[in-house]
Amino acid sequence: SYIEDSTILNVKMINKLPKDVIEILDTVASHQSVCSVEFIHDKKKDVISRGRSLSVSTAMKSPCTILTKIKEFEKGEEQISLECEMSIEDGGKIIPIQGNVGNDVISGVSTFLSKEALVAPDNIFIPDGASIQMIQKSPKGRAKFAITVGDKPILVVRIIAPDARTTLTSAQLSDGVFGTSGDPVNLKSQYASCSYNKLNVIPAPNQSSPGPVARGVVTARITQNVSGADDTAIKNAAESALRAAGFTLPGNYHHVMYCIPPGTGGGWIAYAWVNHWSSVYNNNWCSYVSVQMHEIGHNLNLAHSGEGSNEYADQSGMMGYSYSSSNTPVMCFNAPKNWQLGWYNDRLATANSRWEGALVGIAEYDLSIATQHYVALLVPSALVGGSDDYYVSFNRNKGLNSGTRDGVNQVLIHKRRRGTGYAQSTLMAKMNSGSS
């Protein structure tokens, strides 16, 4: 007999189903976004697990915001996926998109609605040929979370599960992210240094309810075990616990950092959604300055910095590799990222044909003179042909950039797709004085 309600479809077996029927049901259950199948023997009431157990999909009710998720692994590998932040009406979670939403997509800005799309707890499925209504929320292609000047309140989430907890205490996390107990190099200090105090990371305000939140950190208690679990499931459980406690997310916070307890496995470091408010870290990686800068960089709409065929290999700035060190390397971003971030607009030059001038490193921006010194030169695609802009800069290893690991004290040439939106940059050349 088949019993169906709005959320689940069960198959009850009174005695024994024919083999061919079981095979059919196994096939059905193996396809995501279809149904949940349970085989129950009438006499013993034992549940016999077969195939995959999945909830029935429901029709999409409201637009969702399309997001690019970038997940970084310890061996320098990455996993990029397209996901959607669902409306509260459709569950409120960020879930993977299965199907084609087209090419004109800006993470954190584009939303879509399709009456043919099916929403399940773990994905949204778009059938082939489905009608899609695409909406761009901002003509500038920028979400509010990607604003790069002013105060940025950030909430750090420590997680306690029945079998594990984030290793660092709340006080240690607060110090490692905001320097509240004297940590010399952290997310707050390095963004302040690199931006010359134009971007001010601040701890989420103290509050007793909902919370408590102390020095920017809140503890989320979840009922799900961490060992062997999917890291996204742990993040979702923590987020649900905070919402149940009365938090509105993101609310007044510009960013929320989730510090996942050890045990999920998979060799992952961290991940973030581009142009969004949330990032996720594998336990102690939550306190390492390079991965903090890198993941919040993705939230700020920054793409990776590569060299050759390796998307992470440009080690002149923070959008290349991440490092398992609390306070090093001390460095900022490369020229294409600096142009995009807008912190040095009074020291940028554009070549119209031939250009002569003095380049200085960003570490000496405060010592330079406007109209005489420049931290980056843009050679636009219109001048050289093709679709890429080129950037020339001097990579001075001093002060706020003293830990740069590539092209040290050399003139660097980068390229990226023209414009200032989300795009990977590539390090093309490292030049010494007199070279060409």
Side-chain angles (χ1 to χ4, degrees):
S1 62
Y2 295 82
I3 302 173
E4 183 176 6
D5 60 29
S6 61
T7 59
I8 197 165
L9 173 66
N10 293 328
V11 179
K12 290 190 174 182
M13 186 170 65
I14 296 177
N15 289 308
K16 185 177 181 180
L17 288 173
K19 181 179 178 180
D20 58 345
V21 174
I22 293 175
E23 290 176 351
I24 291 171
L25 292 173
D26 273 344
T27 302
V28 170
S30 69
H31 289 77
Q32 293 187 1
S33 306
V34 180
C35 66
S36 176
V37 179
E38 295 178 0
F39 300 94
I40 305 176
H41 192 279
D42 189 57
K43 292 181 180 180
K44 296 183 179 180
K45 302 295 182 183
D46 292 331
V47 176
I48 306 171
S49 176
R50 302 184 64 89
R52 298 181 64 167
S53 182
L54 296 160
S55 295
V56 167
S57 301
T58 57
M60 187 180 187
K61 300 180 180 68
S62 301
C64 68
T65 301
I66 302 173
L67 298 170
T68 300
K69 174 184 174 182
I70 304 177
K71 189 172 187 178
E72 184 179 359
F73 294 84
E74 291 179 357
K75 294 183 178 181
E77 300 169 344
E78 69 172 5
Q79 183 182 78
I80 300 177
S81 57
L82 207 60
E83 303 190 344
C84 232
E85 185 173 30
M86 308 307 295
S87 66
I88 297 300
E89 192 178 14
D90 284 322
K93 295 195 300 184
I94 300 175
I95 55 178
I97 297 172
Q98 293 192 342
N100 184 16
V101 293
N103 297 321
D104 188 21
V105 171
I106 304 175
S107 179
V109 172
S110 302
T111 68
F112 87 93
L113 176 64
S114 175
K115 294 182 179 179
E116 294 103 316
L118 301 173
V119 180
D122 59 353
N123 67 77
I124 177 169
F125 175 70
I126 305 170
D128 291 341
S131 175
I132 296 175
Q133 179 185 4
M134 187 71 70
I135 305 166
Q136 305 288 9
K137 293 190 298 184
S138 169
K140 295 182 180 180
R142 303 281 286 178
K144 69 175 183 179
F145 313 110
I147 295 172
T148 58
V149 296
D151 290 344
K152 269 195 173 294
I154 294 182
L155 178 68
V156 178
V157 182
R158 183 172 185 261
I159 300 172
I160 296 179
D163 65 336
R165 62 183 61 196
T166 307
T167 300
L168 297 176
T169 66
S170 295
Q172 289 171 327
L173 284 173
S174 178
D175 191 33
V177 176
F178 306 111
T180 51
S181 296
D183 184 89
V185 183
N186 50 71
L187 179 73
K188 176 178 175 62
S189 69
Q190 197 60 14
Y191 265 113
S193 295
C194 294
S195 69
Y196 283 85
N197 297 312
K198 294 181 178 71
L199 180 62
N200 181 30
V201 170
I202 57 177
N206 292 346
Q207 62 184 44
S208 57
S209 180
V213 177
R215 298 194 298 178
V217 182
V218 66
T219 296
R221 297 180 181 271
I222 63 175
T223 58
Q224 181 174 344
N225 285 334
V226 172
S227 180
D230 177 71
D231 48 82
T232 300
I234 302 302
K235 178 261 181 187
N236 287 339
E239 188 170 303
S240 296
L242 292 178
R243 293 187 191 277
F247 282 88
T248 300
L249 297 176
N252 292 324
Y253 310 122
H254 280 211
H255 304 280
V256 179
M257 300 170 61
Y258 294 90
C259 305
I260 305 297
T264 55
W268 66 283
I269 290 175
Y271 54 91
W273 290 269
V274 176
N275 250 352
H276 195 250
W277 52 268
S278 58
S279 54
V280 184
Y281 306 79
N282 193 351
N283 198 34
N284 288 340
W285 285 94
C286 217
S287 67
Y288 299 155
V289 65
S290 63
V291 75
Q292 294 169 353
M293 296 282 287
H294 186 108
E295 301 307 328
I296 296 300
H298 284 316
N299 285 166
L300 296 178
N301 205 36
L302 298 182
H304 286 147
S305 300
E307 184 176 8
S309 60
N310 189 323
E311 190 170 343
Y312 289 89
D314 178 7
Q315 298 182 74
S316 68
M318 287 294 197
M319 294 311 293
Y321 291 119
S322 295
Y323 307 87
S324 55
S325 173
S326 176
N327 296 323
T328 59
V330 177
M331 60 181 177
C332 298
F333 301 99
N334 65 24
K337 269 53 173 182
N338 289 331
W339 200 286
Q340 183 179 346
L341 289 163
W343 295 330
Y344 315 102
N345 284 343
D346 58 346
R347 301 290 193 280
L348 303 178
T350 300
N352 296 315
S353 55
R354 178 181 175 85
W355 184 88
E356 292 184 7
L359 289 174
V360 298
I362 57 172
E364 295 175 327
Y365 167 79
D366 58 333
L367 303 176
S368 63
I369 301 173
T371 72
Q372 295 185 29
H373 303 107
Y374 303 91
V375 299
L377 169 68
L378 168 65
V379 183
S381 58
L383 192 62
V384 296
S387 59
D388 292 328
D389 289 335
Y390 287 79
Y391 297 80
V392 185
S393 63
F394 178 54
N395 191 32
R396 182 82 162 93
N397 71 329
K398 175 184 176 183
L400 55 85
N401 200 50
S402 59
T404 183
R405 297 193 173 189
D406 202 359
V408 176
N409 290 328
Q410 290 182 297
V411 172
L412 305 184
I413 299 177
H414 290 86
K415 75 172 183 177
R416 58 148 284 163
R417 187 181 68 243
R418 61 172 167 254
T420 56
Y422 181 83
Q424 179 177 328
S425 62
T426 302
L427 177 57
M428 302 298 294
K430 293 170 274 191
M431 303 171 65
N432 295 313
S433 177
S435 61
S436 60

